[in-house]
Amino acid sequence: MWTHLERQAGGKVKGMGEKQIEVDKRILRTQIGVLKNELESVRKHRKQYRNHRFSVPVPVVSLVGYTNAGKSTLLNHLTGANVLSEDRLFATLDPTTRRVQMKNGSEFLLTDTVGFIQKLPTTLVAAFRATLAEISESSLLVHVVDISHPLAEQQIDAVEKVLAELDVSEIPKLMVWNKVDRVSDPQKIKLEAERREDVVCISALTGEGLQEFCNAVQEILKDSMVPVEALLPFDKGELLSTIHQVGMVEKTEYTENGTFVKAFVPLRFARLLTQ
């Protein structure tokens, strides 16, 4: 049954040719090369998007978590993005970024990433390079957990291990316990979350707790911003509008020489205000 692996005859004049298994390996090497080139083109494409976003000083918040934890549902509820959200593994493979505007006028970009699994193979991490690269550019990581799952603790550990491999420990994190409406005792879960300062309980499907989630995101983003005091000329009204969008304004005072603003803004935007 293995005769197809014997050397190919090269005709009466030629000697024995290459083995069939060597032909198969050569074909596979060619296919691997094509796939690597495709991954590289995707990486460059996503990098162009990130560079464009970087020029706009809006904080980026990335949703991470175990597969099927409800990340896409959360993104859809906050932004109306209509991202595919199904009860199956890896329903989201391509990162989707949408703008979220809070009630106070502040904005941030919310990115949905691929769900993790336990013992995620290194080769699979390479295939998800485009979506995982988004994580390293984030101002905040939101770890979404399906708190109703019986193996929630193991799933949390699996996600933390992957994040450790990606070397993003310096990025602030917020834990979100999703699907709190599905647990047997929601009040007990909420009390447990209150005892832990870095946890917010929500239901991405019903919208419960989303305002508390936005408030928590805003507070953490404030810690990553820098305080500024600027006197803006009246003809620079667009700067004042941008400060309200990307930062947190504490004081606004109109003077004879312009508008005095005291606020917290992203570092790269603060550099634009040094004048």
Side-chain angles (χ1 to χ4, degrees), residues 10-274:
K12 293 183 179 179
V13 179
K14 296 181 180 179
M16 301 297 287
E18 61 183 343
K19 291 182 180 180
Q20 180 63 41
I21 193 170
E22 292 171 347
V23 175
D24 294 343
K25 286 182 177 179
R26 179 161 46 82
I27 293 173
L28 287 174
R29 281 196 298 269
T30 302
Q31 291 177 342
I32 289 173
V34 171
L35 290 174
K36 283 185 175 181
N37 289 335
E38 289 182 4
L39 285 172
E40 187 63 21
S41 66
V42 170
R43 187 189 66 81
K44 291 180 180 179
H45 183 66
R46 297 302 308 178
K47 186 177 181 180
Q48 289 178 347
Y49 272 108
R50 288 196 299 275
N51 289 340
H52 177 69
R53 288 208 310 263
F54 196 78
S55 63
V56 181
V58 180
V60 178
V61 178
S62 290
L63 300 175
V64 299
Y66 207 80
T67 186
N68 202 31
K71 299 182 297 299
S72 297
T73 304
L74 176 58
L75 179 74
N76 288 340
H77 205 118
L78 286 172
T79 67
N82 293 322
V83 176
L84 176 65
S85 56
E86 292 186 358
D87 185 11
R88 62 183 177 91
L89 294 177
F90 306 130
T92 299
L93 290 177
D94 191 44
T96 302
T97 301
R98 292 291 184 271
R99 188 182 296 265
V100 177
Q101 185 166 20
M102 292 178 280
K103 291 184 177 180
N104 62 358
S106 298
E107 296 180 342
F108 63 88
L109 297 179
L110 191 62
T111 297
D112 188 17
T113 63
V114 67
F116 300 150
I117 59 171
Q118 284 179 314
K119 300 179 181 178
L120 188 66
T122 306
T123 51
L124 202 55
V125 172
F128 293 155
R129 186 190 306 173
T131 182
L132 296 180
E134 297 291 319
I135 297 176
S136 61
E137 305 290 339
S138 305
S139 306
L140 170 65
L141 300 181
V142 174
H143 183 176
V144 183
V145 179
D146 179 2
I147 198 62
S148 67
H149 198 283
L151 299 178
E153 287 296 330
Q154 289 89 324
Q155 292 182 355
I156 292 174
D157 292 340
V159 173
E160 293 296 338
K161 287 180 181 178
V162 175
L163 291 178
E165 293 175 7
L166 295 173
D167 194 23
V168 292
S169 57
E170 74 283 357
I171 301 178
K173 294 185 185 68
L174 173 65
M175 182 86 71
V176 172
W177 288 352
N178 188 28
K179 305 184 184 181
V180 70
D181 54 320
R182 293 188 180 182
V183 299
S184 57
D185 191 353
Q187 195 60 34
K188 180 181 177 182
I189 296 296
K190 292 176 182 178
L191 289 174
E192 176 64 26
E194 289 179 1
R195 283 194 288 266
R196 301 172 56 173
E197 296 180 356
D198 60 340
V199 177
V200 178
C201 285
I202 68 165
S203 171
L205 191 62
T206 65
E208 178 185 356
L210 292 190
Q211 186 57 49
E212 290 79 3
F213 165 73
C214 289
N215 293 340
V217 169
Q218 189 175 23
E219 283 301 315
I220 296 176
L221 290 179
K222 179 180 177 180
D223 292 339
S224 65
M225 298 181 183
V226 294
V228 295
E229 293 184 1
L231 183 63
L232 304 176
F234 290 118
D235 60 347
K236 297 289 185 180
E238 71 282 357
L239 280 178
L240 181 61
S241 176
T242 305
I243 291 175
H244 279 281
Q245 285 183 344
V246 306
M248 301 177 65
V249 178
E250 291 193 339
K251 181 181 179 181
T252 303
E253 185 178 333
Y254 297 96
T255 67
E256 294 181 359
N257 299 323
T259 306
F260 174 77
V261 178
K262 184 177 181 181
F264 288 87
V265 297
L267 178 60
R268 58 181 180 271
F269 185 67
R271 294 180 181 135
L272 299 177
L273 297 174
T274 52

